[in-house]
Amino acid sequence: MSQLKDPIREGLARGWKVMGGPHGPVPEKITCDVAIVGSGAGAGVTAELLAKAGLQVVIIEEGPLKSSSDFNQKESEAYPSLYQESAARKTEDKAINILQGRCVGGSTTVNWTSSFRTPASTLKYWQDKFGLSGYSVEALAPYFAQAEQRLNITPWLVPPNENNDLLRRGAAKLGIPASAISRNVKGCWNLGSCGLGCPTNAKQSMLVTTIPAALDMGAQLLVETRAESFELANGKVTALLCRSSRSSKKKTALAQMGNGQVAIKIVAKHYVLAGGAINSPAVLLRSGAPDPHGVLGARTFLHPVVMSSSVFEQKVEAWSGAPQTIYSDHFLDTQAIDGPIGYKLEAPPLHPVIFASTVPGFGQGQHDLLKSFPHNHTLLALLRDGFHDESRGGQVKLRGDSSAVLDYPLTPYVMEGGRRALLSMMEIQFAAGARQVLPLHELAQPYTSWAQARDAVNVLPLKPMLTRVVSAHVMGGCGLAGNERQGVTRPDGVHWQLENLSIHDGSLFPTSIGANPQLSIYGAVNRLAQGLAKKLAGRDVTLA
């Protein structure tokens, strides 16, 4: 793999304007047309389009600039260097583990490439409940198509690995439809280590597509640089205050400002906040941004995930091959969007550290589970939160040191959906031929028949901490709405109270998506950024 080209190192050699961390000090003051906080799905699309429009763009990324030369398929290196809080970010009560990227490219650098357009039912709900009349399937279709072309999002035609095919086979035996997932890859080697950074540059993440394009057009990239807060005056942002994220000093943003330790000030005509849900609301909270209706940081959604682990006679080797290529929406499509919570089923890849840190138990029981690793198959269910009065998501807050934390209550409504999801997954695994199935719950045991598993799970107490819940999809907190009482952001992506601030990331979504959200971000932000380019530069630009 060392013989492969590394487009990041080649770009640096060409003279890209990259500063911060090992790339040299960042000036104390920078002026530009547009400052973009973040470098993930929304930031990358916005950076390319605004740079294409001829605007001076500065991209501010809290994490490091890593590339294919650094991606060696080792969990021990990937999690600390590429993820928020070393892949151990948790909700305030520690009941949900959250995987989010923290590197150039954001979560697009470490996701599993699953690409879905926003479901029509979700868009219809937004139109009806949040006044987003322009967010229709027809209106968004051309923007999705451009993103799909730009990022090579196509159906994955390679036969699924055993891990995914077990979902297909088990569902088929029960008459449950399952389909192939589209992926944003080009020349994929089918290695299976997408979550650790793609070592062959096949994944068409922002790291190898839009960010390099923007840099080739003269954009500046500040890495290992943390956006602390905005300075505000008269309904506008007047500056963005940043500091090196390498600093070991743990002082609050206010204390740093008072001591003159925020070393970087960026003055722009327009600002784009795209740090991801949790981090974007946190920047506004640290800034004392106007929030007259108490909606900032609220309605933050996670697609809470419950899982069922199973063991088969044959080897599954769930770490090998494209990681997530088969899904079933049966339990979404057959469920009213505002009724009992629906869920999407997928088969995640398994790697030793993430597996060992997720399965329950200790001692001999844990030893047996780890020993079965090559034969293990796990299913996950993404719970579609945000469409019911008992599923209002969480609230982003600030800790004493000004860092962000999400308070997300797991309500009985959500957990009852988790129970139904566990039952669905276990039945599919037994139908596929599993010799034992273990729902990931602290009080569960390995079960050897569907009847035994069903009876046990029906009486398990599905409570936080007892039930293993994770998430890799964070949405909301700066929601779009047709009026300022319901949302932080206008339908055009501009903050309701701050006229030169746009928000371009997954924090825009007023509910969860009900599908892996990266393509929803690409499509929605493609539209918003094209509008912003026209407004700021008077030019029509497209992503494709």
Side-chain angles (χ1 to χ4, degrees):
M1 294 179 190
S2 61
Q3 298 165 347
L4 292 170
K5 288 186 176 181
D6 184 331
I8 302 304
R9 293 192 178 185
E10 290 177 355
L12 291 169
R14 286 197 304 273
W16 280 352
K17 298 174 184 175
V18 180
M19 294 174 282
H23 305 282
V26 178
E28 291 185 6
K29 185 173 182 180
I30 297 174
T31 59
C32 59
D33 293 323
V34 184
I36 302 174
V37 176
S39 65
V45 168
T46 301
E48 177 172 332
L49 287 169
L50 297 188
K52 190 180 288 188
L55 296 164
Q56 292 177 298
V57 173
V58 175
I59 306 160
I60 302 99
E61 169 55 52
E62 181 182 29
L65 174 59
K66 298 291 185 179
S67 68
S68 54
S69 298
D70 303 301
F71 301 149
N72 54 22
Q73 301 177 283
K74 292 182 180 179
E75 290 179 278
S76 59
E77 295 182 16
Y79 299 147
S81 64
L82 303 177
Y83 284 80
Q84 291 284 348
E85 300 176 37
S86 298
R89 172 169 270 188
K90 297 184 186 302
T91 50
E92 189 173 37
D93 63 358
K94 308 296 189 293
I96 309 175
N97 195 74
I98 302 171
L99 296 178
Q100 275 187 301
R102 183 181 181 267
C103 56
V104 174
S107 293
T108 74
T109 298
V110 294
N111 69 19
W112 298 336
T113 76
S114 302
S115 301
F116 298 90
R117 292 191 182 189
T118 312
S121 57
T122 299
L123 293 175
K124 180 66 164 56
Y125 190 89
W126 294 358
Q127 293 171 60
D128 294 344
K129 302 294 184 180
F130 292 91
L132 296 173
S133 57
Y135 282 74
S136 66
V137 170
E138 297 75 21
L140 285 170
Y143 300 98
F144 280 128
Q146 290 171 16
E148 288 161 350
Q149 180 181 346
R150 175 71 177 90
L151 303 173
N152 211 60
I153 295 172
T154 57
W156 181 242
L157 301 179
V158 175
N161 63 5
E162 179 70 356
N163 192 47
N164 283 270
D165 204 50
L166 285 169
L167 168 56
R168 184 192 64 79
R169 300 200 307 263
K173 284 192 176 181
L174 298 173
I176 295 171
S179 304
I181 298 176
S182 292
R183 307 180 65 220
N184 59 317
V185 295
K186 185 185 292 184
C188 178
W189 289 29
N190 213 19
L191 295 175
S193 57
C194 303
L196 311 178
C198 180
T200 67
N201 298 307
K203 185 197 301 188
Q204 299 299 285
S205 67
M206 302 299 94
L207 176 66
V208 299
T209 56
T210 58
I211 296 296
L215 292 171
D216 280 336
M217 289 183 281
Q220 297 181 67
L221 172 63
L222 312 183
V223 300
E224 300 184 38
T225 301
R226 183 174 190 252
E228 282 286 356
S229 60
F230 295 115
E231 288 185 344
L232 309 174
N234 303 317
K236 297 182 71 173
V237 177
T238 57
L240 171 65
L241 304 177
C242 306
R243 64 171 173 83
S244 169
S245 58
R246 279 191 163 190
S247 172
S248 61
K249 296 180 179 178
K250 299 216 170 187
K251 298 186 178 181
T252 67
L254 290 175
Q256 289 164 346
M257 290 178 211
N259 293 334
Q261 291 183 12
V262 173
I264 305 153
K265 187 172 190 176
I266 300 173
V267 178
K269 297 173 184 174
H270 198 90
Y271 299 81
V272 176
L273 185 53
I278 296 182
N279 291 341
S280 284
V283 171
L284 293 173
L285 288 168
R286 287 195 294 267
S287 306
D291 181 25
H293 305 290
V295 290
L296 174 58
R299 295 190 61 82
T300 301
F301 301 104
L302 291 176
H303 283 158
V305 167
V306 294
M307 296 162 288
S308 177
S309 172
S310 59
V311 178
F312 284 77
E313 292 290 345
Q314 75 273 25
K315 284 190 174 181
V316 177
E317 296 180 339
W319 61 84
S320 178
Q324 208 166 244
T325 58
I326 298 293
Y327 75 102
S328 176
D329 275 353
H330 175 74
F331 300 99
L332 290 177
D333 296 340
T334 57
Q335 184 63 62
I337 198 166
D338 56 354
I341 199 165
Y343 44 92
K344 185 185 202 80
L345 299 185
E346 295 173 340
L350 300 179
H351 298 281
V353 172
I354 206 77
F355 178 74
S357 61
T358 302
V359 294
F362 53 90
Q364 187 63 45
Q366 187 182 54
H367 173 271
D368 293 343
L369 268 177
L370 297 179
K371 189 175 180 180
S372 74
F373 180 58
H375 298 262
N376 197 280
H377 170 260
T378 296
L379 286 177
L380 62 77
L382 303 167
L383 302 181
R384 181 175 58 186
D385 51 343
F387 297 86
H388 190 280
D389 284 345
E390 294 177 44
S391 177
R392 298 186 179 186
Q395 173 73 50
V396 176
K397 302 177 179 179
L398 297 180
R399 299 185 181 96
D401 64 355
S402 84
S403 64
V405 65
L406 175 63
D407 175 19
Y408 187 103
L410 287 166
T411 64
Y413 167 85
V414 172
M415 297 309 287
E416 189 54 36
R419 187 188 306 277
R420 289 185 289 109
L422 288 173
L423 291 168
S424 300
M425 292 185 289
M426 293 190 306
E427 186 175 16
I428 288 171
Q429 287 170 324
F430 278 119
R435 74 183 191 204
Q436 74 173 43
V437 170
L438 173 67
L440 297 192
H441 187 287
E442 291 297 327
L443 302 182
Q445 300 293 327
Y447 307 117
T448 55
S449 73
W450 162 231
Q452 181 191 30
R454 180 191 60 213
D455 292 346
V457 169
N458 273 327
V459 297
L460 279 177
L462 260 69
K463 296 180 179 179
M465 309 302 289
L466 288 178
T467 311
R468 185 57 56 94
V469 183
V470 302
S471 174
H473 303 159
V474 191
M475 302 150 283
C478 296
L480 290 163
N483 65 81
E484 64 178 63
R485 290 187 174 275
Q486 285 187 287
V488 173
T489 312
R490 300 182 337 203
D492 64 356
V494 177
H495 191 283
W496 271 107
Q497 288 83 32
L498 298 169
E499 63 184 70
N500 66 335
L501 173 65
S502 294
I503 300 170
H504 284 188
D505 61 15
S507 70
L508 288 171
F509 301 146
T511 65
S512 77
I513 294 296
N516 307 61
Q518 71 163 336
L519 181 51
S520 289
I521 299 172
Y522 295 144
V525 169
N526 181 24
R527 182 191 196 187
L528 298 178
Q530 288 187 35
L532 184 59
K534 182 71 171 179
K535 173 183 173 182
L536 297 179
R539 293 178 60 178
D540 293 312
V541 293
T542 60
L543 188 62

